[in-house]
């Protein structure tokens, strides 16, 4: 059983506490103490809003130890509103409802159990965000889904051909 | 610095070696390489391996294998850089010979994976990722690659089928490699219907984990011909790193570590991508092939897949890759893979690739990737 | 008997609800165990996801309460919470507080009082009573009280039809910024063993029809009548009434006995849609009312906890506050993903691996 390992990262896992670079103002999550942009020491704690959007996603069918009971579960890269990408699970959503660009918000959920008798490990996951009209999100998400991948502006011609050979 | 060459190569078949332990696999490859070089003793042994502790409850592989191979007393250590361990061991061996500290050095890559199953192996492989911020979220190695692949498709407008030729090419080449795990060709239809593993990655996008060991013997180029008629000169070997976690990268779809290690290797060898005749890349998943081709300068950003779609990666193509089957079809014994790539490039440069021989191959390159790109080892070899 | 009223006026500064998204129809249970011959006491019930428990549900309800408190009082800061109290009968740990995890997650640590409350289905209102005293006495400026449950019912037992999930969180504070003022409350308890769960047992036991008249009805009517008498009020003085909701029938019946009309009760009656959320049952009903109540309106809240007791509160709405950025109770209730019994059994981990 690992206790201290999880305990020392409680704040960042429960409430997305990251850092802010005092030099360039960059918001940093996960915390890393040194600004990845300007290299300045960055230890000022900042709580993130928990709002973001899906950058990419996939589904885990064969899980690592401790995660087996959750399969299949959705994993994602989420672009936080403050800038950083974060790797996390999506919850309260089915795979068919997820799309790149989908607005999501952070919730605190059970990540895993440290064995049958060990600690319950809680941490951030993301779920579809509450739309402004305060309606349950699944209903609103459906018509907004992006139907097709977009072509990239950098290589428009060859890429479009690539998509339709 | 002394010039360094490979004077002997050896490998075991890649597969499920139920009857062989890690030390036996390593010994088999080492013995083959020493016989190929005609040497009975080496000064040092560097063992590339990722998961011996997790999967076989054995660390301390340097001394273990040295002793088991009858080389008790020599310098021997393990080198670990996730799936980049194999080529990282070559880099250590190269430094030992180039510096003049050692004359004859054996570099082994070995992995024994089939002693464990299921979630244990899945968890072990995830150790290449960031334990606190990727693995703790339940991410597996395949799902991290799936995140990259989906974003790549979204960003550049590709479909899943566009990646098929990476797998088809690898399988076609493995047919003629007696050491490969999957020696049967696959079709585009089979690829399209393959079982999803972590969407958009399907079974045929993915390399199989397996047991295996490969080995090379290094010597100063000045004496290489005393041991072999076909020495292969190490023109360059360079390691570069990137963040462990994909989310920490400036651009997740660009292997900065891959680009950096390739640039260092090109500079060291004084060559460029256009000079490379054979490229053994790290096709753990088809998306990694695309990203590696782009990082190594064979395709612009977002165009790596086009090389496969346009048939440029075959044995007669513009840049032949995975010429002996690659990770996809030769198999991916993770810490051994980098050394298999080196042995296979050496086979091409020694004209020992049989039906898969790339004609007039003078300069070959291998790119071995640890994790999702956090450690990248680029090696350039030359026929002399 | 004395009306409980703090030295200085106390009100609800912020409130928040939570209901998990899965729903199991009562008919599915009836069909599995009784060939469809038992008319289900509720239409459907809420079921937590595999990654949810009383800790995670409490955290979300608490965050909703914080968001509303910050709208009501821009100077409010979770670090000012003098107490984080969670009432539940399904705390994930037998030993280790739910409340410290919740307090850490919402930024209330380290200078705060944290404790878990236990009194069957009135553990949440117990925590509110105590929070009123804590704030009303001046020991704390703000206190957070939560009633939350992932209710357990033995497969095939009558309780399985109704054992739902969800609850609500309330931030109590000085009444000047409050959305709702608490005018007074009464607690009525006796040793009446109608429902219990022994240590190490997974599912509760109950005393069948004994849970009705001598337990639920007796305790609620006594507490509410005492409150009426002490405050000189009757059912007609209230715009809304919300009672503990073990099924649809009991709260309507006890309301009728106390002189309430159906229209006063139904806005807070969620049991048909989410089941009995045990310690969260009456409290989430209250949040549904607070989402629609207008300034000046009175609300009666009466919980019931087996074992047994009832807390009755007289609440008066001071102001209504638009908070479109916070999930309403109705949004949670309407967010529903129906599951069949097999998926439900998996979610409840009621199978042997």
């Amino acid at each position: 059983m690992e206790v201290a390992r999880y305990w020392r990262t409680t704040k960042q896992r429960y409430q997305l506490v990251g850092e802010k670079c005092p030099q360039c103002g960059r918001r940093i999550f996960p915390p890393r103490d040194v600004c990845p942009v300007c290299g300045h020491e960055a230890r000022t704690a900042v709580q993130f809003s928990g709002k973001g959007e899906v950058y990419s996603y996939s589904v885990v069918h064969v899980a690592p130890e401790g995660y087996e009971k959750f399969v299949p579960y959705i994993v994602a890269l989420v672009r936080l509103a403050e800038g950083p990408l974060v790797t996390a699970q999506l919850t309260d959503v089915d795979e068919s409802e997820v799309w790149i660009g989908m607005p999501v918000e952070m919730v605190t959920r059970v990540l895993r159990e440290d064995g049958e008798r060990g600690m319950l490990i809680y941490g951030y996951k993301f779920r579809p965000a509450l739309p402004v009209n305060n309606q349950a999100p699944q209903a609103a998400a459906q018509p907004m889904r992006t139907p097709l991948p977009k072509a990239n502006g950098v290589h428009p011609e060859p890429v479009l051909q690539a998509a339709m050979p | 610095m002394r010039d360094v060459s490979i004077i002997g190569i050896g490998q075991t078949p890649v597969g499920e070696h139920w009857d062989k332990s890690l030390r036996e696999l390593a010994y088999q490859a080492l013995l083959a390489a020493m016989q190929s070089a005609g040497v009975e003793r080496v000064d040092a042994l560097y063992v590339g391996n990722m998961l011996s502790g997790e999967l076989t409850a054995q660390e301390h592989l340097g001394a273990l294998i040295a002793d088991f191979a009858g080389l008790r007393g020599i310098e021997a250590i393990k080198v670990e850089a996730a799936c980049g361990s194999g080529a990282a061991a070559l880099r250590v061996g190269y430094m030992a010979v180039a510096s003049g500290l050692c004359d004859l050095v054996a570099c082994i890559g070995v992995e024994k994976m089939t002693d464990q199953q299921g979630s244990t192996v899945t968890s072990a492989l995830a150790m290449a990722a960031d334990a606190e911020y990727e693995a703790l979220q339940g991410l597996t190695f395949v799902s991290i690659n799936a995140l990259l692949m989906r974003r790549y498709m979204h960003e550049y407008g590709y479909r899943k089928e566009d990646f098929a030729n990476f797998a088809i090419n690898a399988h076609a080449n493995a047919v003629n490699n007696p050491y490969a795990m999957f020696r049967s060709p696959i079709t585009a239809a089979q690829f399209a219907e393959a079982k999803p593993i972590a969407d958009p990655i399907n079974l045929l996008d993915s390399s199989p984990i397996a047991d295996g060991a490969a080995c090379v013997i290094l010597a100063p180029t000045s004496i290489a011909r005393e041991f072999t008629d076909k020495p292969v000169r190490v023109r360059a070997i360079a390691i570069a790193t990137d963040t462990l976690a994909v989310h920490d990268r400036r651009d997740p779809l660009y292997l900065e570590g891959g680009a950096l290690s390739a640039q260092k290797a090109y500079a060291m060898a004084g060559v460029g991508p256009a000079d490379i005749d054979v490229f053994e890349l790290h096709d753990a998943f088809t998306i990694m092939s695309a990203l590696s081709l782009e990082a190594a300068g064979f395709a612009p950003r977002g165009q790596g897949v086009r090389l496969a779609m346009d048939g440029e990666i075959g044995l007669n193509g513009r840049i032949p890759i995975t010429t002996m089957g690659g990770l996809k079809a030769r198999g991916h014994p993770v810490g051994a893979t980098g050394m298999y790539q080196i042995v296979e490039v050496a086979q091409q440069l020694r004209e020992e690739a049989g039906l898969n021989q790339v004609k007039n191959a003078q300069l070959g390159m291998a790119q071995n990737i640890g994790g999702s790109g956090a450690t990248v080892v680029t090696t350039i070899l030359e026929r002399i | 008997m004395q009306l409980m009223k703090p030295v200085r006026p106390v009100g609800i500064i912020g409130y928040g609800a939570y209901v998990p998204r899965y729903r199991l129809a009562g008919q599915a249970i009836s069909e599995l165990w009784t060939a469809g011959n038992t008319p289900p006491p509720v239409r459907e019930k809420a079921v937590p996801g595999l990654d949810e428990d009383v800790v995670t549900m409490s955290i979300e309800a608490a965050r909703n309460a914080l968001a509303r408190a910050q709208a009501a009082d821009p100077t409010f800061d979770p670090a000012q919470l003098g107490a984080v109290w969670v009432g539940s009968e399904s705390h994930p740990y037998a030993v280790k507080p739910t409340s410290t995890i919740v307090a850490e997650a919402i930024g209330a640590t380290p200078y705060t009082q944290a404790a878990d409350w236990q009194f069957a289905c009135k553990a949440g209102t117990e925590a509110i009573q105590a929070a009123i005293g804590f704030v009303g006495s001046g020991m704390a400026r703000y206190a957070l009280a939560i009633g939350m449950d992932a209710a357990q019912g033995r497969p095939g037992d009558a309780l399985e039809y109704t054992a739902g999930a969800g609850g609500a969180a309330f931030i109590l504070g000085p009444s000047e910024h409050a959305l709702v003022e608490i005018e007074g409350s009464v607690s009525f308890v006796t040793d009446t063993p109608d429902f219990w769960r022994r240590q190490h047992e997974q599912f509760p036991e109950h005393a069948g029809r004994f849970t009705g008249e001598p337990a639920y009805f007796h305790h609620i009517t006594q507490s509410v009548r005492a409150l009426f008498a002490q405050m000189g009020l009757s059912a007609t003085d209230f715009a809304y009434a919300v009672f503990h909701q073990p099924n649809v029938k009991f709260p309507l019946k006890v309301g009728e006995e106390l002189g309430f009309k159906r229209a006063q009760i139904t806005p807070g009656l969620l049991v048909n849609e989410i089941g009995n959320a045990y310690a969260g049952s009456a409290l989430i009903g209250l949040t549904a009312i607070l989402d629609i109540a207008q300034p000046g309106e009175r609300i009666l809240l009466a919980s019931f906890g087996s074992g047994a007791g009832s807390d009755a509160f007289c609440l008066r709405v001071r102001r209504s506050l638009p908070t479109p950025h916070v999930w309403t109770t109705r949004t949670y209730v309407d967010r529903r993903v129906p599951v069949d019994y097999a998926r439900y059994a998996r979610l409840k981990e009621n199978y042997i691996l």
Side-chain angles (χ1 to χ4, degrees), chain C residues 61-288:
Chain C
R63 285 188 178 137
N64 288 334
L66 292 179
R68 287 200 174 95
Q70 273 153 352
D73 177 1
T75 66
F76 176 80
D77 175 355
Q80 295 172 298
L81 287 170
V84 175
W85 289 336
V86 184
S88 179
E89 56 182 279
S90 49
H91 291 289
Y93 288 93
V95 177
K96 161 141 189 31
T98 299
S99 52
T100 54
I101 309 171
V102 175
E104 194 78 51
I106 62 169
T109 51
Y111 291 103
T112 189
Q113 223 285 334
D116 292 359
W117 293 73
Q118 191 268 103
F119 192 148
C121 297
K122 87 173 185 84
T125 54
E126 285 283 323
I128 289 178
Q129 294 276 33
I132 294 168
F134 217 44
V135 173
S137 68
M139 280 181 72
R141 183 164 174 82
Y142 300 105
L144 172 64
I146 299 172
M148 190 66 65
D149 255 303
Q152 303 116 329
R154 187 185 304 281
D157 185 82
L159 283 179
E160 193 187 21
Y161 287 95
T162 54
F170 298 87
I171 295 167
L172 288 300
S175 67
E176 61 261 26
H177 287 295
L179 306 170
V180 178
E181 181 170 342
I182 294 161
E183 295 188 316
S185 66
V186 163
S187 263
F188 179 90
V189 304
T190 67
D191 180 5
T192 303
D194 60 313
F195 170 108
W196 63 91
R197 178 164 66 84
R198 293 278 299 275
Q199 187 77 281
H200 306 304
E201 286 297 306
Q202 189 183 352
F203 299 109
E205 301 295 328
H206 59 86
R209 287 183 54 78
F210 182 72
T211 61
E213 206 44 57
Y216 182 88
F217 290 98
H218 177 66
H219 289 79
I220 290 182
T221 52
Q222 291 301 310
S223 71
V224 173
R225 284 188 177 130
L227 184 77
F228 282 178
Q230 289 289 320
M231 297 196 63
L233 297 170
S234 71
T236 53
D237 295 309
F238 292 86
Y240 304 99
V242 57
F243 303 100
H244 176 54
Q245 304 167 19
N247 51 43
V248 180
K249 200 165 77 183
F250 277 24
L252 288 174
K253 186 161 173 241
V254 81
E256 194 183 343
E257 272 181 45
L258 290 164
F260 289 96
K261 296 197 161 54
R262 229 183 144 87
Q264 292 166 283
I265 298 168
T266 47
L269 193 64
L270 304 177
V271 62
N272 212 26
E273 296 168 281
I274 66 168
N276 177 3
Y278 286 20
S281 174
L283 291 179
I284 191 165
L286 174 61
T287 65

Side-chain angles (χ1 to χ4, degrees), chain B residues 247-260:
Chain B
H247 58 236
D248 284 329
R249 296 187 188 155
R250 272 185 284 262
D251 179 352
L253 296 184
Y254 188 56
L255 294 180
E256 263 185 56
L260 200 56

Side-chain angles (χ1 to χ4, degrees), chain B residues 2 38 55 63 96 111 133 180 199 204 206 211 263 296 307 354 364:
Chain B
R2 300 195 291 183
L55 300 184
E111 203 71 66
Y133 301 107
D199 202 49
L204 292 178
S206 320
D211 305 329
Q263 284 154 15
L307 289 174

Side-chain angles (χ1 to χ4, degrees), chain A residues 10-11 14-15 47 51 68-72 89 91-94 97 105-111 113 118-122 125 127-138, chain C residues 18 21-22 49-53 55-57 59-60 63 68 92-93 96 100-101 103-107 109 323-328 331-332 334-337 343 346 349 351 353:
Chain A
T10 317
K11 282 214 187 310
Y14 290 2
Q15 45 175 339
Q47 185 171 345
K51 305 288 180 198
E68 296 97 329
K69 79 171 184 183
F70 300 104
V71 296
Q89 285 185 34
T91 189
D92 285 0
V93 66
D94 296 334
E97 298 165 346
E105 59 191 17
M106 187 272 273
V107 290
T108 307
R109 294 291 173 91
V110 178
L111 291 179
E113 297 168 22
M119 308 299 293
L120 297 161
I121 314 303
Y122 298 94
K125 294 187 183 182
R127 64 135 181 248
L130 173 69
V132 279
N133 61 2
N134 217 332
Q135 297 291 307
Q138 298 95 314
Chain C
Y18 186 73
R21 71 171 189 151
Y22 300 103
L50 280 165
D51 59 0
E52 297 187 284
D53 61 19
V55 166
T56 67
M57 296 195 294
I59 289 170
E60 179 152 348
R63 285 188 178 137
R68 287 200 174 95
Y93 288 93
K96 161 141 189 31
T100 54
I101 309 171
E104 194 78 51
I106 62 169
T109 51
T323 46
H325 59 296
V326 189
W327 287 52
T328 62
T331 303
Y332 281 112
D334 289 346
R335 180 187 74 142
R336 51 185 290 285
V337 173
R343 180 119 188 250
R346 190 186 159 182
E349 301 184 64
Y351 50 80
L353 273 184

